[in-house]
Amino acid sequence: MKSVRKKALIAIIIEFFVFSFVGVSLVLMLFHAGILAFPVIAFMWTFWGFNVLTFFIGIEIKLRYKISFAVLNLLLVSLLISFLINSSESTRNNTVHIVSIAISIVVALLYLIVSILFVKNYWKPAKDEILRLFGKIPAEAPLDDCKTKYPLLLVHGTGFRDRKLFNYWGLIPEILEEHGATIFYGKHDAWANIEDSANQISTTLRSILEKTGSEKVNVVAHSKGGIDVRYAIARLGLSDKVASLTMISSPNHGLKTMDSLYSVFGKGIFKFCAFFVNIWFRILGDKKPDFYKTTQQFCATFMEKFNDEIVDTPSIMYQSFAGKMKNPFSDIFMWLLNLIIGFSDGDNDGVVSVESAKWGKFRGTIEGRGFFGISHTHEVDGYRTNPRLKESESLPTGSKTIRDFYISLVRELKDTGF
């Protein structure tokens, strides 16, 4: 629970200054009507209050409760202001007064329902955690169900870097560490091509082995990260230093969509974009950004040649998973990509198609439960929402959410002897 409290404390400090600045600014902007800013202020500070609560009880509170109470607080303060303004004899309006009373009753009922659900879900775990904190009940024994023989190396995909504050993998690494896993990161560029990324990952991997004294590592790679590692194993002497490679939606067969884009727009537009992308990502810390070549390497024609030349090592366990958006509403930021890629490549997660993700032992498709699917970002808990998954016999046992999926996956590696 230390990681939960640490994250809550950081949020408390940041939100305090941000919300204070926004609140004061709104009041000053509205001047005489500054009271009208109070509903928005109540909405914002509700999130701050929940982070304070999380810090004390050590339990992460679901976003839906935070939003529900924030909206209800906004309505509650709005109604109080309405009653205050309407209480004056000069401005009194009986219709407004009656409507405000009716809405107040509805808000009160909703507040009661949400509060009951909230207490029902969090009372017992919160009480146990507080008692444990004060030594009234024994502390839980450290978990070791994800303590694998070899350390885990997490390798990100294109467009992102390994950062502490905004982790590419969401809360997955922290949860795996709580279950006993030893985690390391690839530390490679966001927009480097396959060859350069592979060299950077190779350097990182060798330093991990030197630091830990381990003979090998288990690699879990997302998106292009899987292709980078495949190249590093085959061409950079890592064949005896990797025990397993698990790929989550890696474009092992490229995308026909990228071939079509190059055919329609030509190389010129990509080179033009590369000029600005490379400058920007070099500012952000990339050593060798190469937008143009990297986008070419996403093409199906390129990956066909790549697969002929880059041969798997028999002693390494290669396994893969795909992700699938059931409809464009699965991810508001990827709906357009999902539609475009769907025309040429079929089912996809907004970036990589299901067919392209298949390599080695294909374990199956990660799908969302119910109406929504799993996007490329959901696969690494990028939105920190821990989406629920459609349980399948092909996925690791107990994969009820995306975080459970990774816990179960690493447990499998441990049980396999890796």
Side-chain angles (χ1 to χ4, degrees), residues 257 338-349 352-355:
T257 302
N338 175 246
L339 288 175
I340 293 172
I341 294 171
F343 284 119
S344 300
D345 295 276
D347 291 336
N348 65 87
D349 62 0
V352 178
S353 70
V354 172
E355 289 301 314

Side-chain angles (χ1 to χ4, degrees), residues 19 123 186 238 249 343:
F19 292 168
W123 170 250
L238 298 184
S249 282
F343 284 119

Side-chain angles (χ1 to χ4, degrees), residues 149-195:
K149 179 179 179 181
Y150 305 116
L152 290 177
L153 175 59
L154 302 182
V155 180
H156 67 70
T158 301
F160 294 88
R161 293 177 59 84
D162 291 311
R163 300 188 185 280
K164 290 184 179 180
L165 188 57
F166 298 103
N167 198 310
Y168 177 88
W169 299 85
L171 296 180
I172 292 167
E174 292 183 13
I175 291 172
L176 288 177
E177 287 177 332
E178 288 176 358
H179 283 257
T182 302
I183 303 292
F184 292 94
Y185 300 95
K187 296 182 179 179
H188 53 299
D189 286 353
W191 273 104
N193 58 53
I194 292 174
E195 295 82 0

